[in-house]
């Protein structure tokens, strides 16, 4: 599965269309089935036949994007190297499962093909394939959505539809049947399928996650907040949603933690630990407290404005701020100002509520 993730992870193309930004995961844009002009039902024999035909077209300079390729996803690269890469991916069980998951069993505008024959009558293959394709179309619609309230709602509906598809055992049975009927060698194992199933929603949400990280880089707080709230509301679809929130917020959280650490360490490094340096230590503590009030407090409020106040990242940020304030409070004892020290300790404890940092401050 690591190979699948390395091919896909966080690789998203941006297509600018009529003033909007379209985020398209490379796992869709450069999907092997798309490159070869095939449906997700294709057998290995059809893969080789399509590759040979496209190789000839590439040598003649006739390779081009057609309506069946869904041009909204961008032009399809069909050089000889691209075609060889597509065939190679479809020869790899894990990558083949992934590319099949993110392509259509019945691509739009493609003349309807005869459905493959399956040995298991219990699986309603056409219905399952149609449901999968409908969910994939919802994802493509989300790729084109703006990031206002309406747009993130499109993403939410698309990811819920995708969750319903990838939670359906029958879909994965269909995929395994296509493995067997398609004469693929080596055939995908159940472990390959389980790995992809565990990561299917995270992969589908890559465009939204990248959009969140880019919005954070632009200091577009309202967009970041909308995306994080959307992911929080998708928490019932699996642990991937919390991990995605952390992924987006990580740079801002990490910058805040570094700020808290810097203020705390600066105060500690300048304190002189003897009874003759009371005035010096008081000046050091007051300067550190001013930095806390002027830098850490506003940054904390801004960060919590992005995150859900009850999120793990928000709790961690409060804990870091509280520990920084507690450190300043302790250093006030070297300035013989025990009243201020006690007051700041109480403020730090209140800030650290429901975090492990509260126990450290009490100790």
């Amino acid at each position: 599965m690591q190979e699948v993730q390395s091919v896909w992870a966080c690789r998203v193309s941006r297509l600018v269309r009529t003033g909007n930004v379209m985020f398209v995961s490379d796992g869709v844009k450069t999907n092997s089935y798309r490159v070869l002009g095939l449906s997700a039902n294709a057998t290995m024999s059809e893969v080789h036949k399509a590759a040979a035909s496209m190789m000839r077209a590439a040598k003649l300079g006739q390779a081009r994007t057609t309506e069946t390729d869904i041009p909204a996803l961008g032009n399809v690269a069909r050089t000889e190297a691209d075609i060889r890469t597509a065939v190679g991916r479809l020869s790899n069980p894990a990558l083949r499962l992934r590319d099949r998951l993110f392509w259509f069993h019945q691509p739009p505008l493609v003349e309807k093909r005869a459905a493959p024959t399956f040995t298991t009558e219990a699986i309603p293959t056409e219905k399952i394939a149609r449901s999968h394709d409908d969910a994939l179309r919802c994802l493509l619609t989300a790729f084109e959505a703006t990031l206002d309230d309406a747009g993130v709602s499109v993403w939410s509906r698309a990811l819920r539809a995708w969750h319903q598809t990838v939670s359906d055992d029958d879909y994965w049975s269909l995929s395994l049947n296509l493995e067997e009927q398609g004469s693929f060698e080596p055939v995908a194992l159940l472990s390959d399928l389980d790995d992809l199933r565990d990561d299917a929603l995270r992969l589908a949400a890559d465009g939204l996650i990248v959009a969140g990280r880019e919005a954070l880089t632009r200091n577009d707080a309202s967009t970041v907040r909308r995306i994080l709230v959307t992911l929080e509301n998708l928490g019932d679809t699996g642990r991937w949603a919390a991990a995605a929130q952390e992924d987006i917020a990580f740079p801002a959280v990490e910058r805040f933690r570094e700020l808290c650490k810097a203020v705390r360490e600066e105060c500690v490094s300048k304190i002189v630990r003897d009874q003759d340096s009371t005035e010096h230590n008081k000046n050091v503590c007051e300067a550190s407290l001013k930095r806390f009030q002027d830098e850490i407090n506003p940054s904390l409020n801004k960060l919590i404005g992005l995150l859900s106040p009850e999120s793990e990242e928000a709790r961690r940020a409060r804990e870091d701020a509280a520990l920084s304030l507690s450190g300043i409070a302790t250093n006030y004892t070297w300035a013989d100002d025990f009243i201020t020290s006690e007051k700041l300790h109480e403020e730090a404890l209140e800030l650290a509520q429901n975090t492990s940092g509260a126990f450290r401050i009490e100790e």
Side-chain angles (χ1 to χ4, degrees), residues 225 228-229 252-253 256 296-311 313-319 321 351:
R225 178 65 176 152
L228 290 176
V229 168
V253 172
F256 181 74
I296 293 178
N297 256 341
S299 296
L300 177 62
N301 292 333
K302 181 179 178 181
L303 192 57
I304 291 179
L306 287 178
L307 309 168
S308 165
E310 299 306 316
S311 69
E313 293 77 16
R315 281 195 292 270
R316 207 173 299 155
R318 286 193 295 103
E319 180 179 27
L351 193 56

Side-chain angles (χ1 to χ4, degrees), residues 54 57-58 60-65 76 78-79 83:
M54 287 191 170
L60 295 172
Q62 296 176 345
R64 59 190 178 87
T65 301
V76 184
R78 283 180 172 139
T79 66
I83 296 165

Side-chain angles (χ1 to χ4, degrees), residues 208-280:
L208 185 62
I209 296 166
V210 170
R213 287 201 298 261
E214 291 201 351
L216 185 64
T217 301
R218 299 192 309 271
N219 292 316
D220 183 354
S222 59
T223 296
V224 175
R225 178 65 176 152
R226 276 194 294 269
I227 292 173
L228 290 176
V229 168
T230 298
L231 290 169
E232 183 179 4
N233 292 337
L234 288 166
D236 59 343
T237 64
R239 289 176 294 180
W240 72 274
Q245 291 176 70
E246 186 172 350
D247 189 357
I248 292 171
F250 179 79
V253 172
E254 206 52 23
R255 284 195 300 270
F256 181 74
R257 299 191 74 179
E258 289 299 320
L259 172 62
C260 293
K261 180 181 177 182
V263 171
R264 185 170 65 247
E265 291 182 349
E266 181 183 50
C267 188
V268 170
S269 68
K270 291 181 178 180
I271 289 291
V272 178
R273 289 166 174 75
D274 63 50
Q275 299 303 319
D276 299 326
S277 302
T278 300
E279 193 62 32
H280 166 82

